[in-house]
Amino acid sequence: MKLWVKIMIKSKLVFATGNQDKYKEVSKIFAGTNYELLKVTDVGEMFEIIEDGDTYEANAFIKAKAIFDKFGYPVIADDSGIEVEQLDNRPGIYAARYAGENCTYSDNNKKLLSELKELEKPHKAKFVCCALFYDGEKLIPAMGELKGQIVDEPRGNKGFGYDPVFMPDGYDITCAEMELEDKNKISHRGRAFNNLKNLLEQS
Ligand code: IMP
């Protein structure tokens, strides 16, 4: 009797991030695919990358190219931010340093709430993420969004960044009041990387 064993050789793919939470979230999405998702620290040492692009895609590409050029593996990378309609889509790609250099998440949230204080509700907003694949030749970008609104006061202590002030459409809790797994199912990043996974499987 012949015994056929199916061997699946996985392609190595490095995720260009130093953020362990992002790595955990995205490795779940890539589990069961033809790709073995590696951390930067699996192939070398993480180093500082200056993200000075003017779009999410440009910044994600800067990260992907820096890691590809240094280590030579195919890479996935992402960049995200938050856009508030009444603020002409600010802070957008500048979300991390909205309240200034070296500011905290809490500084950013305070600044956002004070800018919206006098404006009429609802304060419509969305999280946006660009995820992309780069292997030195092929560049595959994919977008993901999560729509919602900014609430009056920070609520909840899970998650990070703008999660305490962001309430997704269809929910009456903020992202910081959700279990991480629930947030990941609807998040802009989850959507962008699921789209990217599908595009990679078709390519
Ligand atoms: P990054 O450059 O993709 O790491 O994200 C830039 C900034 O966007 C972060 O520092 C956060 O302030 C904000 N941000 C991105 N994703 C999220 C999220 O899922 N929740 C809350 N804030 C986020």
Side-chain angles (χ1 to χ4, degrees):
M1 192 175 74
K2 282 186 184 163
L3 180 66
W4 293 98
V5 181
K6 192 175 164 197
I7 302 175
M8 193 166 81
I9 301 179
K10 293 198 171 209
S11 314
K12 292 185 190 304
L13 190 56
V14 177
F15 185 14
T17 185
N19 181 324
Q20 295 307 310
D21 294 324
K22 277 192 190 178
Y23 177 82
K24 250 193 250 163
E25 184 180 332
V26 174
S27 55
K28 277 195 193 140
I29 295 170
F30 277 79
T33 66
N34 235 352
Y35 294 98
E36 180 190 351
L37 196 63
L38 303 177
K39 295 177 188 161
V40 175
T41 48
D42 291 328
V43 296
E45 237 178 76
M46 189 62 190
F47 55 97
E48 197 196 353
I49 301 169
I50 311 286
E51 300 166 34
D52 55 2
D54 52 14
T55 61
Y56 301 104
E57 185 175 330
N59 278 335
F61 181 64
I62 288 170
K63 295 178 217 180
K65 187 172 183 320
I67 298 296
F68 175 81
D69 287 350
K70 180 125 180 162
F71 303 114
Y73 287 93
V75 179
I76 55 170
D78 78 323
D79 192 58
S80 52
I82 187 168
E83 300 182 359
V84 182
E85 241 181 61
Q86 289 168 320
L87 301 179
D88 298 324
N89 294 334
R90 281 188 295 114
I93 59 165
Y94 305 107
R97 287 174 296 277
Y98 183 41
E101 281 303 316
N102 305 320
C103 63
T104 63
Y105 290 143
S106 160
D107 296 335
N108 283 335
N109 287 332
K110 272 187 202 141
K111 174 164 177 182
L112 185 59
L113 295 184
S114 81
E115 285 208 87
L116 293 173
K117 212 170 168 187
E118 306 298 327
L119 303 177
E120 212 175 294
K121 284 191 265 186
H123 308 305
K124 287 188 186 172
K126 63 182 178 185
F127 279 126
V128 182
C129 177
C130 174
L132 58 77
F133 168 91
Y134 179 64
D135 65 358
E137 290 174 2
K138 220 179 336 172
L139 170 67
I140 306 177
M143 300 300 293
E145 286 185 2
L146 175 62
K147 290 189 175 156
Q149 59 180 283
I150 305 299
V151 296
D152 289 338
E153 284 181 0
R155 280 163 27 192
N157 52 17
K158 301 187 182 87
F160 71 101
Y162 296 89
D163 282 342
V165 297
F166 184 88
M167 186 165 72
D169 286 345
Y171 290 77
D172 58 4
I173 54 174
T174 66
C175 282
E177 293 173 302
M178 285 180 183
E179 293 305 325
L180 189 61
E181 288 207 346
D182 294 330
K183 180 193 156 192
N184 290 347
K185 281 185 202 143
I186 57 165
S187 85
H188 48 309
R189 201 166 13 261
R191 286 174 176 163
F193 276 104
N194 268 302
N195 290 338
L196 181 62
K197 181 182 82 171
N198 294 337
L199 290 172
L200 275 171
E201 282 171 343
Q202 289 158 23
S203 71

